[in-house]
């Protein structure tokens, strides 16, 4: 099993008494995931402040983590050019350390003030991903039209729609632009979600497993802090939706993740 999107490096995973600059609680979360059968975790950054925390966890658990970096759309504000320059400089200076550009994209759920700037930033990061030959982790919330408009100018980019929770119509719309991947997390286990019925329409050859820890914990942990060790619960629901064995879904999604993120 591979968790293709997890933020285990964030302070929410610190344990009581953890010293400043330590990552004991974060390492413990990684180790719990390994114990649950998760062999690899993809760590996308969130903002400038998260880069150091992410790199520290990767340095402490290099055999089972890889990193992505990008400017998250909700961080596109007045100083977006400065923030974009920072993450792009980090990526291009240390390009061999990163397996993806992300998470990046369009988020118009909370605020539409910087919609145009979000598209500009997304476009720039897609161009860098193309040049470096890196896959892109897409964050898309209430901005599918804008996301696809920008993506249409970058046909050479491989990308995953992280935390996908859309409909069959959304899948078809996305596929008119490109043959992308779909990251499935705890949303698929929610009683009010119809995502499970969409999985056969996507097809197992384009599905990835993820948690988006510490958010979106699957049933039976909904409402609690999420973590990568919960991937098996997501996999179980996916297997039922696809009418396949858990072993087959595990094998397919693991192979998909290794292909997209160039994991050994």
């Amino acid at each position: 099993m591979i968790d293709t999107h997890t933020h285990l490096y964030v302070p929410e995973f610190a344990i009581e008494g953890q010293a400043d600059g330590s990552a004991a609680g974060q390492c413990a979360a990684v180790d719990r995931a390994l114990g649950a059968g998760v062999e690899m975790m993809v760590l996308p950054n969130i903002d400038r402040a998260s880069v150091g925390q992410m790199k520290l966890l990767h340095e402490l658990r290099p055999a089972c983590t890889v990193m992505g970096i990008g400017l998250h759309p909700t961080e596109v504000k007045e100083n977006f050019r400065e923030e974009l320059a920072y993450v792009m400089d980090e990526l291009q200076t240390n390009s061999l350390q990163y397996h993806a550009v992300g998470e990046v994209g369009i988020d118009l759920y909370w605020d539409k003030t910087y919609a145009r700037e979000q598209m500009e930033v997304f476009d720039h990061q897609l161009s860098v991903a193309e040049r470096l030959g890196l896959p892109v982790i897409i964050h898309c919330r209430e901005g599918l039209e804008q996301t696809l408009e920008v993506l249409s100018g970058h046909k050479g980019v491989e990308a995953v729609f992280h935390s996908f929770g859309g409909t069959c119509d959304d899948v078809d719309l996305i596929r008119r632009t490109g043959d992308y991947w779909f990251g499935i997390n705890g949303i698929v286990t929610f009683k009010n979600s119809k995502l499970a019925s969409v999985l056969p329409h996507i097809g197992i050859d384009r599905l990835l497993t993820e948690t988006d820890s510490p958010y979106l914990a699957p049933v039976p942990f909904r409402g609690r802090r999420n973590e990568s060790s919960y991937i098996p619960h997501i996999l179980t629901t996916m297997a039922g939706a696809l009418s396949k064995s858990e072993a087959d879904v595990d094998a397919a999604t693991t192979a998909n993740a290794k292909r997209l993120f160039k994991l050994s």
Side-chain angles (χ1 to χ4, degrees), residues 44-92:
N45 86 294
I46 302 168
D47 54 25
R48 183 195 290 232
S50 72
V51 174
Q53 300 167 339
M54 178 182 69
K55 292 178 78 170
L56 174 60
L57 181 58
H58 174 61
E59 287 168 7
L60 293 169
R61 293 293 185 273
C64 56
T65 63
V66 296
M67 300 184 294
I69 189 168
L71 183 59
H72 192 287
T74 60
E75 298 303 311
V76 176
K77 300 172 184 175
E78 297 94 337
N79 64 337
F80 77 92
R81 294 189 191 283
E82 176 187 340
E83 293 299 306
L84 178 62
Y86 171 80
V87 295
M88 289 297 96
D89 181 66
E90 167 64 26
L91 171 61
Q92 294 176 89

Short mmCIF file of all heavy atoms in Angstrom, two decimals, residues 44-92:
data_model
loop_
_atom_site.label_atom_id
_atom_site.label_comp_id
_atom_site.label_asym_id
_atom_site.label_seq_id
_atom_site.Cartn_x
_atom_site.Cartn_y
_atom_site.Cartn_z
N PRO A 44 3.44 15.98 0.35
CA PRO A 44 3.42 17.28 -0.33
C PRO A 44 3.49 18.39 0.72
O PRO A 44 2.95 18.25 1.81
CB PRO A 44 2.05 17.30 -1.03
CG PRO A 44 1.38 16.01 -0.68
CD PRO A 44 2.09 15.43 0.49
N ASN A 45 4.15 19.50 0.37
CA ASN A 45 4.20 20.59 1.33
C ASN A 45 2.91 21.41 1.29
O ASN A 45 2.07 21.25 0.38
CB ASN A 45 5.41 21.49 1.10
CG ASN A 45 5.16 22.57 0.09
OD1 ASN A 45 4.96 22.28 -1.09
ND2 ASN A 45 5.17 23.82 0.51
N ILE A 46 2.72 22.29 2.28
CA ILE A 46 1.52 23.11 2.37
C ILE A 46 1.85 24.57 2.10
O ILE A 46 1.19 25.24 1.30
CB ILE A 46 0.87 22.98 3.76
CG1 ILE A 46 0.51 21.51 4.04
CG2 ILE A 46 -0.38 23.86 3.86
CD1 ILE A 46 0.14 21.24 5.47
N ASP A 47 2.87 25.07 2.78
CA ASP A 47 3.27 26.46 2.64
C ASP A 47 4.76 26.57 2.94
O ASP A 47 5.44 25.56 3.16
CB ASP A 47 2.45 27.37 3.56
CG ASP A 47 2.47 26.91 5.01
OD1 ASP A 47 3.45 26.22 5.42
OD2 ASP A 47 1.53 27.23 5.75
N ARG A 48 5.27 27.80 2.95
CA ARG A 48 6.70 28.00 3.19
C ARG A 48 7.12 27.42 4.55
O ARG A 48 8.16 26.77 4.67
CB ARG A 48 7.04 29.49 3.14
CG ARG A 48 8.53 29.77 3.31
CD ARG A 48 8.81 31.22 3.62
NE ARG A 48 8.55 32.09 2.50
CZ ARG A 48 9.43 32.99 2.04
NH1 ARG A 48 10.61 33.11 2.61
NH2 ARG A 48 9.13 33.76 1.03
N ALA A 49 6.29 27.65 5.57
CA ALA A 49 6.63 27.20 6.92
C ALA A 49 6.70 25.68 7.03
O ALA A 49 7.41 25.15 7.89
CB ALA A 49 5.61 27.75 7.92
N SER A 50 5.99 24.97 6.16
CA SER A 50 5.94 23.51 6.27
C SER A 50 7.12 22.82 5.61
O SER A 50 7.34 21.62 5.83
CB SER A 50 4.64 22.98 5.67
OG SER A 50 4.65 23.08 4.25
N VAL A 51 7.89 23.53 4.80
CA VAL A 51 8.96 22.88 4.03
C VAL A 51 10.01 22.28 4.96
O VAL A 51 10.43 21.13 4.78
CB VAL A 51 9.61 23.87 3.04
CG1 VAL A 51 10.82 23.24 2.37
CG2 VAL A 51 8.59 24.30 2.00
N GLY A 52 10.44 23.04 5.96
CA GLY A 52 11.45 22.53 6.88
C GLY A 52 10.98 21.32 7.66
O GLY A 52 11.74 20.35 7.84
N GLN A 53 9.73 21.34 8.11
CA GLN A 53 9.18 20.21 8.84
C GLN A 53 9.11 18.97 7.95
O GLN A 53 9.44 17.85 8.39
CB GLN A 53 7.77 20.56 9.33
CG GLN A 53 7.71 21.76 10.27
CD GLN A 53 6.28 22.26 10.45
OE1 GLN A 53 5.39 22.00 9.64
NE2 GLN A 53 6.05 22.98 11.53
N MET A 54 8.68 19.17 6.72
CA MET A 54 8.59 18.06 5.77
C MET A 54 9.96 17.45 5.49
O MET A 54 10.13 16.22 5.51
CB MET A 54 7.95 18.55 4.48
CG MET A 54 7.83 17.50 3.39
SD MET A 54 7.12 18.14 1.86
CE MET A 54 8.44 19.24 1.30
N LYS A 55 10.94 18.30 5.25
CA LYS A 55 12.28 17.80 4.94
C LYS A 55 12.90 17.07 6.13
O LYS A 55 13.60 16.07 5.95
CB LYS A 55 13.18 18.97 4.50
CG LYS A 55 12.76 19.56 3.16
CD LYS A 55 13.61 20.75 2.74
CE LYS A 55 14.94 20.32 2.20
NZ LYS A 55 15.68 21.45 1.58
N LEU A 56 12.62 17.54 7.34
CA LEU A 56 13.14 16.86 8.52
C LEU A 56 12.58 15.45 8.64
O LEU A 56 13.34 14.49 8.88
CB LEU A 56 12.79 17.66 9.79
CG LEU A 56 13.15 17.00 11.12
CD1 LEU A 56 14.66 16.73 11.21
CD2 LEU A 56 12.67 17.84 12.29
N LEU A 57 11.26 15.31 8.45
CA LEU A 57 10.67 13.97 8.54
C LEU A 57 11.23 13.06 7.46
O LEU A 57 11.53 11.88 7.71
CB LEU A 57 9.14 14.06 8.44
CG LEU A 57 8.40 12.72 8.56
CD1 LEU A 57 8.72 12.02 9.87
CD2 LEU A 57 6.89 12.93 8.42
N HIS A 58 11.38 13.59 6.25
CA HIS A 58 11.95 12.77 5.17
C HIS A 58 13.38 12.35 5.49
O HIS A 58 13.76 11.20 5.23
CB HIS A 58 11.91 13.54 3.85
CG HIS A 58 12.61 12.83 2.74
ND1 HIS A 58 12.22 11.59 2.28
CD2 HIS A 58 13.70 13.18 1.99
CE1 HIS A 58 13.03 11.21 1.31
NE2 HIS A 58 13.94 12.15 1.11
N GLU A 59 14.16 13.25 6.08
CA GLU A 59 15.54 12.91 6.44
C GLU A 59 15.58 11.81 7.49
O GLU A 59 16.49 10.97 7.48
CB GLU A 59 16.24 14.16 6.97
CG GLU A 59 16.57 15.18 5.89
CD GLU A 59 17.00 16.52 6.47
OE1 GLU A 59 17.16 16.60 7.71
OE2 GLU A 59 17.17 17.49 5.70
N LEU A 60 14.59 11.79 8.38
CA LEU A 60 14.55 10.79 9.44
C LEU A 60 13.96 9.46 8.98
O LEU A 60 14.23 8.42 9.58
CB LEU A 60 13.74 11.33 10.63
CG LEU A 60 14.38 12.51 11.37
CD1 LEU A 60 13.39 13.13 12.35
CD2 LEU A 60 15.65 12.07 12.09
N ARG A 61 13.15 9.49 7.92
CA ARG A 61 12.54 8.26 7.38
C ARG A 61 12.68 8.24 5.85
O ARG A 61 11.72 8.20 5.11
CB ARG A 61 11.06 8.19 7.78
CG ARG A 61 10.80 8.01 9.27
CD ARG A 61 11.27 6.65 9.77
NE ARG A 61 10.94 6.41 11.17
CZ ARG A 61 11.68 6.77 12.20
NH1 ARG A 61 12.83 7.42 11.99
NH2 ARG A 61 11.31 6.50 13.43
N PRO A 62 13.92 8.26 5.36
CA PRO A 62 14.14 8.40 3.91
C PRO A 62 13.72 7.19 3.09
O PRO A 62 13.43 7.33 1.89
CB PRO A 62 15.65 8.63 3.81
CG PRO A 62 16.21 7.95 5.03
CD PRO A 62 15.19 8.18 6.11
N ALA A 63 13.68 6.02 3.68
CA ALA A 63 13.38 4.81 2.92
C ALA A 63 11.90 4.65 2.60
O ALA A 63 11.54 3.88 1.70
CB ALA A 63 13.88 3.57 3.67
N CYS A 64 11.04 5.37 3.33
CA CYS A 64 9.60 5.16 3.16
C CYS A 64 8.83 6.45 2.91
O CYS A 64 7.59 6.45 3.00
CB CYS A 64 9.02 4.42 4.36
SG CYS A 64 9.33 5.24 5.94
N THR A 65 9.54 7.55 2.62
CA THR A 65 8.88 8.80 2.28
C THR A 65 9.53 9.44 1.07
O THR A 65 10.74 9.29 0.86
CB THR A 65 8.91 9.81 3.45
OG1 THR A 65 10.28 10.16 3.73
CG2 THR A 65 8.26 9.25 4.71
N VAL A 66 8.72 10.12 0.27
CA VAL A 66 9.23 10.99 -0.79
C VAL A 66 8.47 12.32 -0.69
O VAL A 66 7.39 12.38 -0.09
CB VAL A 66 9.07 10.39 -2.20
CG1 VAL A 66 9.89 9.13 -2.34
CG2 VAL A 66 7.60 10.12 -2.52
N MET A 67 9.01 13.37 -1.29
CA MET A 67 8.45 14.70 -1.11
C MET A 67 7.96 15.32 -2.42
O MET A 67 8.48 15.03 -3.49
CB MET A 67 9.49 15.63 -0.50
CG MET A 67 10.02 15.22 0.85
SD MET A 67 11.15 16.45 1.55
CE MET A 67 12.53 16.34 0.38
N GLY A 68 6.97 16.19 -2.27
CA GLY A 68 6.54 17.07 -3.34
C GLY A 68 6.58 18.49 -2.81
O GLY A 68 6.50 18.71 -1.60
N ILE A 69 6.69 19.47 -3.69
CA ILE A 69 6.70 20.85 -3.24
C ILE A 69 5.99 21.74 -4.27
O ILE A 69 6.09 21.50 -5.48
CB ILE A 69 8.13 21.38 -3.00
CG1 ILE A 69 8.10 22.75 -2.33
CG2 ILE A 69 8.94 21.40 -4.28
CD1 ILE A 69 9.44 23.21 -1.79
N GLY A 70 5.25 22.72 -3.76
CA GLY A 70 4.54 23.66 -4.63
C GLY A 70 3.83 24.68 -3.77
O GLY A 70 3.73 24.54 -2.55
N LEU A 71 3.30 25.71 -4.42
CA LEU A 71 2.54 26.72 -3.70
C LEU A 71 1.06 26.36 -3.75
O LEU A 71 0.44 26.35 -4.81
CB LEU A 71 2.77 28.11 -4.32
CG LEU A 71 2.08 29.27 -3.60
CD1 LEU A 71 2.54 29.38 -2.15
CD2 LEU A 71 2.33 30.58 -4.34
N HIS A 72 0.50 26.05 -2.59
CA HIS A 72 -0.91 25.67 -2.44
C HIS A 72 -1.79 26.85 -2.84
O HIS A 72 -1.49 28.00 -2.53
CB HIS A 72 -1.15 25.28 -0.98
CG HIS A 72 -2.45 24.59 -0.73
ND1 HIS A 72 -3.66 25.25 -0.76
CD2 HIS A 72 -2.72 23.30 -0.41
CE1 HIS A 72 -4.62 24.39 -0.48
NE2 HIS A 72 -4.08 23.20 -0.28
N PRO A 73 -2.91 26.60 -3.53
CA PRO A 73 -3.73 27.72 -4.00
C PRO A 73 -4.28 28.62 -2.90
O PRO A 73 -4.44 29.83 -3.13
CB PRO A 73 -4.87 27.03 -4.76
CG PRO A 73 -4.86 25.61 -4.32
CD PRO A 73 -3.44 25.31 -4.00
N THR A 74 -4.54 28.09 -1.71
CA THR A 74 -5.05 28.95 -0.64
C THR A 74 -3.97 29.86 -0.08
O THR A 74 -4.27 30.77 0.70
CB THR A 74 -5.66 28.12 0.50
OG1 THR A 74 -4.66 27.25 1.05
CG2 THR A 74 -6.84 27.30 0.01
N GLU A 75 -2.71 29.63 -0.47
CA GLU A 75 -1.60 30.49 -0.05
C GLU A 75 -1.31 31.58 -1.08
O GLU A 75 -0.35 32.34 -0.92
CB GLU A 75 -0.34 29.64 0.19
CG GLU A 75 -0.49 28.61 1.29
CD GLU A 75 -0.88 29.24 2.62
OE1 GLU A 75 -0.24 30.22 3.02
OE2 GLU A 75 -1.86 28.75 3.24
N VAL A 76 -2.10 31.64 -2.14
CA VAL A 76 -1.94 32.68 -3.16
C VAL A 76 -2.67 33.93 -2.66
O VAL A 76 -3.90 34.03 -2.76
CB VAL A 76 -2.48 32.21 -4.52
CG1 VAL A 76 -2.39 33.34 -5.54
CG2 VAL A 76 -1.71 30.99 -5.01
N LYS A 77 -1.89 34.87 -2.15
CA LYS A 77 -2.44 36.10 -1.57
C LYS A 77 -1.66 37.29 -2.10
O LYS A 77 -1.07 37.22 -3.18
CB LYS A 77 -2.39 36.00 -0.04
CG LYS A 77 -3.21 34.82 0.49
CD LYS A 77 -3.02 34.60 1.99
CE LYS A 77 -3.78 33.36 2.43
NZ LYS A 77 -3.53 33.02 3.86
N GLU A 78 -1.64 38.38 -1.34
CA GLU A 78 -0.98 39.60 -1.81
C GLU A 78 0.48 39.37 -2.20
O GLU A 78 0.97 39.93 -3.18
CB GLU A 78 -1.05 40.71 -0.75
CG GLU A 78 -2.46 41.17 -0.42
CD GLU A 78 -3.03 40.41 0.78
OE1 GLU A 78 -2.55 39.28 1.06
OE2 GLU A 78 -3.93 40.95 1.43
N ASN A 79 1.17 38.55 -1.43
CA ASN A 79 2.61 38.33 -1.66
C ASN A 79 2.88 37.06 -2.44
O ASN A 79 3.92 36.41 -2.26
CB ASN A 79 3.34 38.28 -0.31
CG ASN A 79 2.88 37.09 0.54
OD1 ASN A 79 1.78 36.57 0.35
ND2 ASN A 79 3.73 36.65 1.47
N PHE A 80 1.96 36.68 -3.33
CA PHE A 80 2.08 35.37 -3.98
C PHE A 80 3.34 35.25 -4.82
O PHE A 80 3.91 34.16 -4.93
CB PHE A 80 0.83 35.07 -4.81
CG PHE A 80 0.74 35.78 -6.12
CD1 PHE A 80 1.23 35.19 -7.29
CD2 PHE A 80 0.15 37.02 -6.22
CE1 PHE A 80 1.14 35.84 -8.51
CE2 PHE A 80 0.05 37.67 -7.43
CZ PHE A 80 0.56 37.09 -8.58
N ARG A 81 3.82 36.34 -5.41
CA ARG A 81 5.02 36.23 -6.23
C ARG A 81 6.24 35.86 -5.38
O ARG A 81 7.08 35.06 -5.80
CB ARG A 81 5.26 37.54 -6.98
CG ARG A 81 4.19 37.86 -8.00
CD ARG A 81 4.54 39.04 -8.88
NE ARG A 81 3.40 39.47 -9.67
CZ ARG A 81 2.97 38.86 -10.78
NH1 ARG A 81 3.63 37.79 -11.21
NH2 ARG A 81 1.92 39.30 -11.44
N GLU A 82 6.33 36.44 -4.21
CA GLU A 82 7.42 36.11 -3.29
C GLU A 82 7.34 34.66 -2.85
O GLU A 82 8.36 33.94 -2.82
CB GLU A 82 7.37 37.04 -2.07
CG GLU A 82 8.39 36.72 -1.00
CD GLU A 82 8.19 37.54 0.26
OE1 GLU A 82 7.52 38.59 0.18
OE2 GLU A 82 8.69 37.13 1.31
N GLU A 83 6.13 34.20 -2.49
CA GLU A 83 5.95 32.81 -2.04
C GLU A 83 6.23 31.82 -3.17
O GLU A 83 6.85 30.78 -2.97
CB GLU A 83 4.54 32.62 -1.50
CG GLU A 83 4.26 33.39 -0.22
CD GLU A 83 5.18 32.97 0.92
OE1 GLU A 83 5.25 31.76 1.22
OE2 GLU A 83 5.86 33.85 1.49
N LEU A 84 5.76 32.16 -4.37
CA LEU A 84 6.01 31.29 -5.52
C LEU A 84 7.49 31.20 -5.82
O LEU A 84 8.03 30.11 -6.08
CB LEU A 84 5.25 31.82 -6.74
CG LEU A 84 5.45 31.05 -8.04
CD1 LEU A 84 4.96 29.61 -7.91
CD2 LEU A 84 4.74 31.75 -9.20
N ALA A 85 8.19 32.34 -5.76
CA ALA A 85 9.63 32.34 -6.02
C ALA A 85 10.36 31.46 -5.02
O ALA A 85 11.30 30.74 -5.38
CB ALA A 85 10.17 33.77 -5.97
N TYR A 86 9.92 31.49 -3.76
CA TYR A 86 10.57 30.68 -2.73
C TYR A 86 10.45 29.19 -3.03
O TYR A 86 11.45 28.45 -3.02
CB TYR A 86 9.98 30.98 -1.35
CG TYR A 86 10.47 30.03 -0.29
CD1 TYR A 86 11.72 30.19 0.30
CD2 TYR A 86 9.70 28.93 0.09
CE1 TYR A 86 12.19 29.29 1.24
CE2 TYR A 86 10.16 28.02 1.03
CZ TYR A 86 11.40 28.21 1.61
OH TYR A 86 11.87 27.31 2.54
N VAL A 87 9.21 28.71 -3.26
CA VAL A 87 9.03 27.26 -3.46
C VAL A 87 9.64 26.80 -4.78
O VAL A 87 10.19 25.70 -4.86
CB VAL A 87 7.56 26.84 -3.36
CG1 VAL A 87 7.03 27.06 -1.96
CG2 VAL A 87 6.69 27.55 -4.38
N MET A 88 9.59 27.64 -5.81
CA MET A 88 10.18 27.25 -7.08
C MET A 88 11.71 27.23 -7.00
O MET A 88 12.36 26.38 -7.62
CB MET A 88 9.71 28.18 -8.19
CG MET A 88 8.23 28.00 -8.57
SD MET A 88 7.82 26.36 -9.25
CE MET A 88 7.23 25.47 -7.79
N ASP A 89 12.28 28.14 -6.24
CA ASP A 89 13.73 28.12 -6.05
C ASP A 89 14.15 26.87 -5.28
O ASP A 89 15.14 26.21 -5.63
CB ASP A 89 14.18 29.37 -5.30
CG ASP A 89 15.70 29.40 -5.09
OD1 ASP A 89 16.43 29.50 -6.08
OD2 ASP A 89 16.14 29.30 -3.92
N GLU A 90 13.38 26.52 -4.26
CA GLU A 90 13.66 25.30 -3.49
C GLU A 90 13.57 24.08 -4.40
O GLU A 90 14.43 23.19 -4.34
CB GLU A 90 12.67 25.17 -2.33
CG GLU A 90 12.64 23.82 -1.64
CD GLU A 90 13.92 23.43 -0.94
OE1 GLU A 90 14.70 24.33 -0.54
OE2 GLU A 90 14.17 22.22 -0.78
N LEU A 91 12.55 24.02 -5.23
CA LEU A 91 12.37 22.88 -6.13
C LEU A 91 13.52 22.78 -7.13
O LEU A 91 14.10 21.70 -7.31
CB LEU A 91 11.04 23.01 -6.88
CG LEU A 91 10.81 22.02 -8.03
CD1 LEU A 91 10.82 20.59 -7.50
CD2 LEU A 91 9.49 22.33 -8.72
N GLN A 92 13.87 23.89 -7.75
CA GLN A 92 14.86 23.83 -8.81
C GLN A 92 16.29 23.70 -8.27
O GLN A 92 17.15 23.11 -8.92
CB GLN A 92 14.71 25.05 -9.71
CG GLN A 92 13.37 25.01 -10.45
CD GLN A 92 13.10 26.24 -11.30
OE1 GLN A 92 13.47 26.29 -12.47
NE2 GLN A 92 12.45 27.23 -10.72
#
